[in-house]
Amino acid sequence: MATTLANSTIFCKPALSLLRRRGLACLHFSADKLQSPKKRGRPVTASVVELGGVRIAREEIVKDDPTNNVPDSIFSKLGMQLHRRDEHPLGILRNAIYEYFDTNYPNRFVKFDNLCPIVSVKANFDDVLVPADHVSRSYNDTYYVDSQTVLRCHTSAHQAELLREGHTHFLVAGDVYRRDSIDSTHYPVFHQMEGVRVFNPADWKEVGIDGTAYAAKDLKHCLQGLACHLFGDVEMRWVDTYFPFTNPSFELEIFFKDEWLEVLGCGVMEQEILKRSGRIDNVAWAFGLGLERLAMVLFDIPDIRLFWTTDERFTSQFSEGQLGVKFKPFSKFPPCYKDMSFWISDSFTENNLCEVVRGIAGDLVEEVKLIDNFTNKKGMTSHCYRIAYRSMERSLTDEEINDLQWKVREEVEGKLKVVLR
């Protein structure tokens, strides 16, 4: 991963702190960092990225520190910003959502799609009322740069700051990061869209209902219109749910291709968030949706890894403004399955296993699946995982796969403190 830039560019901590506090805009990498189809093994990544006009060295994000769990594979995605590429499925979807809001709420919603993904723990969790003991705060689920800094795991990380700056109608799109399982619908980097609208007391008093009911009604009207804009005239239903930052909270589902599909989560913003932002008398709604999730449905994209490919057989199928063009699969290369069994330790987690496998195989790993587990009379627990290797662009050789699997076994045993069987 290292290049000569790593030795010549040093990024100071005060600058990183400034980025984190202000959520400054991110700039693209100066060159494409995605793995070429001709490259094998681990992806090649840059050693420097620019965020907010500041050059950040790899060593400032991927640290040899007990509080840091950001691997090279994640650093390589910083600044890629697939959602800002107008001919990419994610960019096409983002622009379609923008079109809906521009048409139905002219000159109302301010758009932010270039905010820095390096944020404080406070912004990512505390400001949106995520409880101190919530599972999402754990090192198993979130990428920590240090104990007080994370890679945002949702676009809501900018919500409180934008409210404090005086924004009352805004959309935030961006890349978000979560440690997760490996399969066709999960990837440690994905993209979200956040929307917020704030109301004044005069808005709901004029129609004679309370602020919460008024915001909820407006929210549902807005998002039903968005669903129709994206999917056409479809049947919809609202499902009550729970989120730490909204009350009441809802999920919108549509009946699409003979099944109910969750489109987004939303709700009336918790009053405490508004209060902390200096908006004691206001009421607001907020929603969040995953761009990959909707794009996979709208474009018939079967594997989330495809969003990151540079293969022209994929990229050439999509054009700016063409929402819902159906992806035509190209050659389907065969998978290779390798099983691995080991006695787990008390600290073992599946997310940690997936991080190790991704660190070795990158996007050549298609799935990691638990296929067997048992506990013996001594109380020792054994897991057996089946790892599927498959490239989206070429056939993998037996030698290559065996080499990957050998390295995976070595690192799983060494890093996760398990005993191979």
Side-chain angles (χ1 to χ4, degrees):
M1 175 170 174
T3 71
T4 56
L5 287 175
N7 298 321
S8 62
T9 303
I10 302 298
F11 185 79
C12 62
K13 291 181 180 178
L16 178 57
S17 176
L18 186 66
L19 276 175
R20 187 181 64 216
R21 290 199 310 270
R22 296 185 179 177
L24 296 178
C26 302
L27 303 182
H28 292 291
F29 283 108
S30 58
D32 192 354
K33 305 304 179 297
L34 287 177
Q35 183 178 2
S36 165
K38 295 181 181 179
K39 299 288 185 182
R40 296 184 178 183
R42 302 189 190 194
V44 178
T45 59
S47 61
V48 173
V49 63
E50 289 189 353
L51 299 175
V54 180
R55 294 169 68 82
I56 301 179
R58 167 190 175 273
E59 289 75 13
E60 293 298 327
I61 304 298
V62 184
K63 303 178 182 179
D64 184 16
D65 182 283
T67 64
N68 181 282
N69 62 354
V70 182
D72 288 344
S73 58
I74 295 301
F75 177 79
S76 71
K77 300 298 192 294
L78 285 172
M80 296 296 291
Q81 298 186 317
L82 301 183
H83 64 287
R84 302 186 74 215
R85 303 181 183 186
D86 292 336
E87 295 186 350
H88 189 281
L90 299 182
I92 296 169
L93 176 56
R94 180 206 64 164
N95 289 338
I97 297 172
Y98 283 173
E99 179 185 40
Y100 170 77
F101 280 92
D102 286 343
T103 300
N104 292 275
Y105 305 90
N107 302 315
R108 297 293 295 275
F109 281 82
V110 182
K111 306 177 187 69
F112 299 91
D113 64 3
N114 201 22
L115 298 177
C116 182
I118 303 170
V119 300
S120 67
V121 168
K122 178 179 182 297
N124 198 72
F125 296 120
D126 299 332
D127 283 352
V128 287
L129 309 183
V130 176
D133 59 351
H134 197 274
V135 64
S136 65
R137 289 180 180 257
S138 75
Y139 286 86
N140 188 60
D141 284 56
T142 294
Y143 290 107
Y144 280 79
V145 177
D146 56 48
S147 62
Q148 298 301 314
T149 312
V150 298
L151 301 182
R152 65 185 172 206
C153 54
H154 48 201
T155 48
S156 301
H158 305 285
Q159 189 180 99
E161 180 181 14
L162 292 174
L163 286 170
R164 288 194 295 268
E165 290 178 355
H167 296 287
T168 59
H169 297 67
F170 57 87
L171 302 171
V172 180
D175 43 328
V176 297
Y177 300 78
R178 295 182 193 173
R179 302 176 91 243
D180 213 337
S181 55
I182 298 177
D183 58 38
S184 63
T185 61
H186 291 87
Y187 201 79
V189 188
F190 56 104
H191 300 75
Q192 285 187 339
M193 174 83 77
E194 173 99 357
V196 169
R197 185 180 188 185
V198 179
F199 300 94
N200 294 313
D203 295 322
W204 64 82
K205 289 180 179 178
E206 185 178 333
V207 295
I209 61 176
D210 68 83
T212 298
Y214 182 86
K217 181 179 179 180
D218 185 87
L219 169 67
K220 291 182 176 181
H221 174 76
C222 171
L223 297 181
Q224 286 174 184
L226 175 60
C228 287
H229 180 72
L230 298 177
F231 292 93
D233 187 15
V234 292
E235 185 180 355
M236 306 179 200
R237 68 183 182 189
W238 290 97
V239 179
D240 292 337
T241 188
Y242 166 78
F243 301 115
F245 26 80
T246 55
N247 183 29
S249 302
F250 316 101
E251 289 177 346
L252 175 61
E253 297 182 349
I254 65 170
F255 196 68
F256 190 73
K257 294 185 177 179
D258 298 323
E259 63 179 356
W260 286 102
L261 170 73
E262 179 191 332
V263 175
L264 51 81
C266 62
V268 178
M269 190 180 296
E270 282 283 4
Q271 205 63 32
E272 181 64 22
I273 297 176
L274 291 166
K275 180 181 177 181
R276 293 181 184 181
S277 302
R279 296 186 168 275
I280 299 175
D281 296 327
N282 296 120
V283 172
W285 56 244
F287 75 86
L289 56 83
L291 293 178
E292 275 88 347
R293 176 179 175 79
L294 297 189
M296 291 181 78
V297 174
L298 288 165
F299 294 96
D300 281 351
I301 296 174
D303 193 307
I304 197 168
R305 293 176 298 165
L306 280 165
F307 290 111
W308 297 92
T309 186
T310 56
D311 193 314
E312 289 186 359
R313 291 173 296 178
F314 178 81
T315 59
S316 64
Q317 293 189 36
F318 308 101
S319 301
E320 182 177 353
Q322 300 298 308
L323 181 68
V325 172
K326 303 307 179 185
F327 168 66
K328 296 180 177 60
F330 41 87
S331 299
K332 183 84 169 179
F333 298 101
C336 178
Y337 300 100
K338 295 288 184 180
D339 292 351
M340 180 172 58
S341 299
F342 46 80
W343 300 105
I344 68 170
S345 63
D346 292 339
S347 62
F348 173 81
T349 70
E350 189 169 300
N351 279 357
N352 285 338
L353 171 64
C354 289
E355 285 295 306
V356 169
V357 177
R358 275 201 184 97
I360 297 295
D363 284 353
L364 297 182
V365 59
E366 181 176 67
E367 184 178 45
V368 174
K369 183 178 182 180
L370 179 65
I371 59 172
D372 183 53
N373 76 90
F374 70 89
T375 301
N376 66 14
K377 294 180 180 179
K378 296 181 179 180
M380 298 174 63
T381 300
S382 171
H383 284 184
C384 180
Y385 285 89
R386 178 158 294 163
I387 303 175
Y389 297 99
R390 189 205 308 256
S391 170
M392 308 298 293
E393 299 159 344
R394 60 184 176 82
S395 291
L396 301 176
T397 66
D398 289 339
E399 179 183 3
E400 184 178 8
I401 295 168
N402 289 336
D403 182 56
L404 289 172
Q405 183 67 7
W406 182 257
K407 291 177 180 177
V408 165
R409 290 174 61 86
E410 284 186 326
E411 291 215 14
V412 164
E413 186 174 34
K415 291 185 175 182
L416 303 186
K417 310 302 180 185
V418 301
V419 178
L420 296 175
R421 298 182 60 216

